[in-house]
């Protein structure tokens, strides 16, 4: 993780690790930013969700007292929520909802939000904070999925073989960062050859403003109906 942070922020960073959580500050090409997230493909627990939420609230509170809201860079490395009866009985879904509300508060407070997917981003552990950012970028070899095909087969009662066949032609059924990029859920796929500080600078500059993920999914051929249906529901003419 330190090697990743060094490459992202060659001008310096002060990011502390607390188990699988990380939080701190760094100097990017756009200036000082908050860095918050998880590492080592963590399985998110109630305790980790509270720490992530607190880090976001601390960033909002600090900048309210000290000037303009600075960008928040989320590092998402998670295998999803902790699969534990103990965590479920504690109400893990409520902790995730609280975390999502904290991220929304940061956005409404003027923070630009960028997520960098490192390693793996799965299910609720990713949905509740990383997927809520304004810009989402996947680092090389990142694995992204909400539900694998075996679990999807159990839930939908569709044969795994049928889902595997559908996954060949539709990114909606297929895991992987490239498929999520086709659907518009990921804005950019980074390569090892890219200048990561420059790519992060661009992501921060493009964060905020209109959410164009449905439009991206249509342009990239991964979700062709999401934008037209949303426009019809909102009463916007399709040719506007």
């Amino acid at each position: 993780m330190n090697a990743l942070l060094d490459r992202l922020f060659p001008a310096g960073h002060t990011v502390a690790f607390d188990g699988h959580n990380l939080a701190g500050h760094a100097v990017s090409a756009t200036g000082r930013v908050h860095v918050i997230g998880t590492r080592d493909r963590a399985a998110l627990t109630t305790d980790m969700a509270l720490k992530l939420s607190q880090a976001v609230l601390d960033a909002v509170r600090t900048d309210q007292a000290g000037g303009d809201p600075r960008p928040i860079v989320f590092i998402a490395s998670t295998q999803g929520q902790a699969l534990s009866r103990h965590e479920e009985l504690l109400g893990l879904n409520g902790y995730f909802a609280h975390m999502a509300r904290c991220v929304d508060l940061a956005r409404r407070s003027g923070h630009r939000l960028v997520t960098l997917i490192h390693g793996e981003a799965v299910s609720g552990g990713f949905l509740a904070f990383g997927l809520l950012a304004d810009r989402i970028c996947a680092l090389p070899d990142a694995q992204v999925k909400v539900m694998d095909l075996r679990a999807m087969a159990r839930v939908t009662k569709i044969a795994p073989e049928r889902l595997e066949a559908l996954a060949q032609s539709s990114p909606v059924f297929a895991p992987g960062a490239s498929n999520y990029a086709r659907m518009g859920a990921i804005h950019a796929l980074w390569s090892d050859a890219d200048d990561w500080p420059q790519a992060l600078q661009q992501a921060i500059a493009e964060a905020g403003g209109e959410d164009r993920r449905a439009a991206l999914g249509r342009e990239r051929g991964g979700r062709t109906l999401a934008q037209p249906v949303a426009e019809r529901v909102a009463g916007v003419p399709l040719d506007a």
Side-chain angles (χ1 to χ4, degrees), residues 45-223:
T45 63
T46 52
D47 180 62
M48 292 180 63
L50 281 180
K51 290 178 180 177
L52 286 167
S53 301
Q54 188 61 59
V56 174
L57 293 176
D58 288 344
V60 173
R61 187 178 297 110
T62 298
D63 289 357
Q64 282 179 339
D68 293 334
R70 289 170 288 182
I72 298 176
V73 178
F74 292 122
I75 306 293
S77 177
T78 171
Q79 60 185 272
Q81 66 268 30
L83 301 178
S84 161
R85 182 176 177 83
H86 170 75
E87 295 295 331
E88 295 295 337
L89 289 173
L90 286 174
L92 182 60
N93 61 318
Y95 288 78
F96 279 7
H98 170 65
M99 185 163 58
R101 287 194 292 267
C102 292
V103 174
D104 181 59
L105 173 65
R107 175 183 292 105
R108 289 186 288 109
S109 298
H111 294 269
R112 293 173 180 263
L113 309 177
V114 174
T115 290
L116 305 181
I117 302 172
H118 177 236
E120 191 173 31
V122 179
S123 194
F126 176 52
L127 296 174
F129 84 103
L131 194 60
L132 299 181
D134 303 313
R135 297 287 296 183
I136 302 171
C137 305
L139 276 61
D141 302 320
Q143 296 297 317
V144 185
K145 57 187 176 182
V146 171
M147 184 181 292
D148 66 31
L149 294 182
R150 291 170 300 175
M152 192 182 297
R154 291 195 296 269
V155 171
T156 63
K157 309 303 181 185
I158 298 175
E161 296 77 15
R162 173 59 175 158
L163 290 177
E164 290 174 4
L166 289 170
Q168 299 302 313
S169 59
S170 173
V172 174
F173 292 94
S178 60
N179 284 304
Y180 277 77
R182 283 184 62 196
M183 291 187 289
I186 291 176
H187 295 84
L189 302 172
W190 293 7
S191 73
D192 278 320
D194 289 334
D195 183 329
W196 289 7
Q198 183 179 11
L200 179 58
Q201 179 184 13
Q202 180 179 349
I204 292 173
E206 294 174 348
E210 180 186 2
D211 186 346
R212 294 194 67 256
R213 276 175 276 203
L216 282 177
R218 187 180 187 183
E219 292 168 7
R220 295 170 178 176
R223 285 197 306 162

